[in-house]
């Protein structure tokens, strides 16, 4: 079972943080559907057989919706779960964050997210969430972003998870959520496209399937091959974020684990993907105290001292031998947290 935050120890860089703040999210919750009360009406079922709430599904501690998808339809929308919600006032300017947990009997398979207006011509966007071969019978958490969309012209927006135009499937689903999010970029590395955005120095990278991945089925594995003698000797630049009309602070959060205990990591933001321009370090380095344990690592970065249309979050972890690291569920957020002690800003290349 993959519940959000379960099994993750939390390590924070020093900052002024509101009580109960979710390090992965500071946005507005618009849809929140679970089946703990055994009510099947949270999402409307179309073309699905025998939807029912069970509480004895292996690996799941509470109620979840189970149903059969007969398959053989021509269109994705012929078999789906859906609901409508009121359009937020600011939906053209902030990203959408979507979460759900799912378990299927047959793999590979695909779930299509669709968000659209509630009348003809049904303008909207779609995103595919592939479930890889070998994942049958396993609970997977999908947690991802969709870009701002400026063409929602109706007062309500339709949200759906679509399963049509595929073969028969037995599915369980739970914890379906939609946020209007302050996140600028999120990745759980389910696609090779996110892997291609990574840049490394002194590190070998590989996307690997892990049963205990914090989100989805894949994680990024990094092996330090040139550790050097300082933190900056081995580094990783994460997928970039596009920024528009923003001058505040940033929070970088991701799940990490290392085969080395007391593993030190420094984060920050740079202007280019090769460390040849300005950069700003996070407030403090963090230390992953336990080896081989998923740990939520989070960095607060002060407002940038340079102007840029996109920013590149980075991690540095050199000088600690040929460590092996895994990371997943990366997000960079806009935040109104207070930066109490601005840190040194380097205006020159590290190399």
């Amino acid at each position: 079972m993959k519940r959000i935050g379960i099994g993750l120890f939390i390590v924070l860089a020093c900052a002024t943080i509101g009580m109960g703040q979710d390090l992965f999210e500071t946005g507005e919750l618009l849809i929140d559907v679970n089946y703990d009360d055994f009510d099947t009406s949270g999402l409307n079922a179309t073309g699905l057989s025998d939807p029912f709430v069970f509480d004895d599904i292996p690996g799941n501690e509470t109620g979840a919706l189970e149903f059969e998808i007969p398959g053989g339809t021509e269109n994705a929308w012929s078999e789906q779960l859906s609901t409508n919600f009121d359009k937020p006032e600011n939906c053209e300017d902030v990203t959408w964050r979507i979460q759900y947990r799912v378990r299927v009997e047959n793999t590979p398979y695909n779930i299509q997210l669709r968000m659209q207006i509630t009348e003809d011509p049904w303008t909207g966007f779609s995103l595919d969430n592939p479930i890889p071969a070998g994942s049958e019978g396993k609970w997977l958490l999908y947690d991802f972003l969709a870009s701002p969309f400026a063409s929602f012209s109706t007062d309500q927006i339709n949200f759906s998870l679509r399963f049509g135009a595929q073969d028969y499937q037995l599915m369980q689903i739970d914890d379906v959520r939609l946020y209007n999010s302050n996140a600028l970029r999120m990745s759980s590395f389910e696609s090779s496209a996110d892997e291609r955005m990574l840049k490394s120095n002194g590190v070998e990278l590989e996307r690997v399937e892990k049963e205990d991945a914090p989100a989805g089925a894949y994680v990024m594995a990094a092996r330090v091959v040139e550790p050097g003698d300082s933190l900056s000797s081995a580094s990783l630049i994460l997928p970039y974020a596009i920024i528009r009309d923003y001058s505040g602070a940033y929070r970088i959060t991701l799940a990490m684990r290392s085969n080395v205990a007391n593993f030190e990591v420094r984060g920050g933001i740079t202007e280019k993907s090769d460390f040849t321009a300005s950069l700003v370090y996070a407030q403090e380095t963090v230390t992953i105290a336990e080896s081989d344990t998923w740990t939520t690592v989070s960095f607060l970065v002060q407002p940038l001292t340079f102007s840029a249309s996109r920013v590149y979050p980075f991690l540095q972890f050199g000088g600690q031998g040929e460590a092996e690291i895994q990371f997943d569920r990366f997000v960079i957020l806009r935040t109104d947290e207070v930066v109490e002690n601005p840190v040194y800003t380097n205006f020159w290349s590290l190399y």
Side-chain angles (χ1 to χ4, degrees):
M1 179 181 70
K2 296 177 182 288
R3 285 196 177 275
I4 301 169
I6 287 182
L8 299 182
F9 292 89
I10 296 177
V11 182
L12 292 181
C14 290
T16 301
I17 302 172
M19 291 297 293
Q21 177 176 339
D22 181 353
L23 298 175
F24 291 95
E25 177 55 52
T26 56
E28 177 187 4
L29 181 62
L30 302 170
I31 296 174
D32 187 8
V33 175
N34 63 61
Y35 298 95
D36 295 350
D37 57 1
F38 294 87
D39 183 1
T40 63
S41 63
L43 296 171
N44 301 313
T46 301
L48 309 179
S49 299
D50 302 321
F52 193 83
V53 177
F54 289 84
D55 65 352
D56 59 353
I57 298 170
N60 196 61
E61 297 172 353
T62 59
L65 186 69
E66 178 174 294
F67 50 90
E68 294 183 42
I69 304 168
T73 59
E74 293 186 2
N75 301 303
W77 64 79
S78 299
E79 297 165 311
Q80 66 175 15
L81 294 170
S82 66
T83 190
N84 294 339
F85 64 95
D86 293 335
K87 180 176 69 174
E89 292 182 2
N90 62 340
C91 71
E92 293 87 0
D93 300 320
V94 297
T95 54
W96 304 97
R97 181 189 179 195
I98 302 96
Q99 293 177 336
Y100 58 88
R101 295 191 312 113
V102 65
R103 181 176 182 264
V104 297
E105 185 176 79
N106 304 305
T107 61
Y109 199 69
N110 186 66
I111 298 176
Q112 182 188 90
L113 164 79
R114 177 72 180 175
M115 290 178 60
Q116 63 184 19
I117 62 175
T118 55
E119 61 187 32
D120 192 32
W122 315 107
T123 305
F125 65 85
S126 301
L127 292 173
D128 287 334
N129 295 156
I131 300 175
S135 298
E136 60 273 5
K138 302 175 184 177
W139 279 105
L140 301 177
L141 166 67
Y142 284 84
D143 187 350
F144 57 98
L145 294 183
S147 299
F149 188 76
S151 299
F152 288 134
S153 57
T154 51
D155 291 337
Q156 288 198 314
I157 299 172
N158 176 260
F159 170 96
S160 63
L161 297 174
R162 296 180 169 183
F163 321 113
Q166 299 180 91
D167 294 334
Y168 169 85
Q169 183 66 268
L170 176 66
M171 178 178 292
Q172 294 101 26
I173 201 162
D174 200 6
D175 298 328
V176 180
R177 299 184 180 95
L178 172 70
Y179 298 86
N180 205 210
S181 173
N182 288 320
L184 295 166
R185 164 75 70 175
M186 177 179 286
S187 177
S188 58
F189 306 102
E190 297 307 296
S191 165
S192 59
D194 284 335
E195 179 183 6
R196 290 194 297 269
M197 295 181 69
L198 299 171
K199 306 290 184 181
S200 62
N201 177 68
V203 178
E204 292 182 350
L205 293 173
E206 181 184 11
R207 189 169 68 99
V208 297
E209 187 174 353
K210 289 291 182 181
E211 185 171 345
D212 64 345
Y218 289 89
V219 304
M220 287 304 304
R223 187 169 67 90
V224 179
V225 293
E226 299 177 14
D229 56 8
S230 67
L231 283 176
S232 61
S233 297
S235 61
L236 179 67
I237 291 184
L238 298 163
Y240 67 80
I242 296 175
I243 54 175
R244 296 180 299 178
D245 301 322
Y246 181 67
S247 58
Y250 298 83
R251 179 162 287 283
I252 302 167
T253 302
L254 69 161
M256 292 186 67
R257 69 178 168 190
S258 166
N259 67 339
V260 177
N262 297 316
F263 189 73
E264 189 175 10
V265 185
R266 179 167 62 192
I269 289 176
T270 184
E271 188 178 359
K272 293 185 177 181
S273 62
D274 56 3
F275 285 119
T276 59
S278 302
L279 60 90
V280 178
Y281 290 119
Q283 295 301 288
E284 288 190 358
T285 61
V286 300
T287 300
I288 301 175
E290 297 189 40
S291 63
D292 301 317
T293 301
W294 281 113
T295 303
T296 298
V297 175
S298 191
F299 304 92
L300 176 63
V301 180
Q302 68 194 55
L304 304 181
T305 55
F306 54 85
S307 177
S309 60
R310 63 176 62 180
V311 294
Y312 295 84
F314 66 82
L315 305 174
Q316 297 174 337
F317 38 76
Q320 302 173 88
E322 295 183 353
E324 296 181 2
I325 310 149
Q326 295 174 0
F327 56 96
D328 196 12
R329 203 172 175 228
F330 152 70
V331 62
I332 178 169
L333 289 168
R334 295 172 289 195
T335 180
D336 58 3
E337 295 173 69
V338 177
V339 178
E340 296 178 341
N341 300 301
V343 296
Y344 171 69
T345 301
N346 186 355
F347 290 97
W348 304 99
S349 169
L350 292 180
Y351 307 113

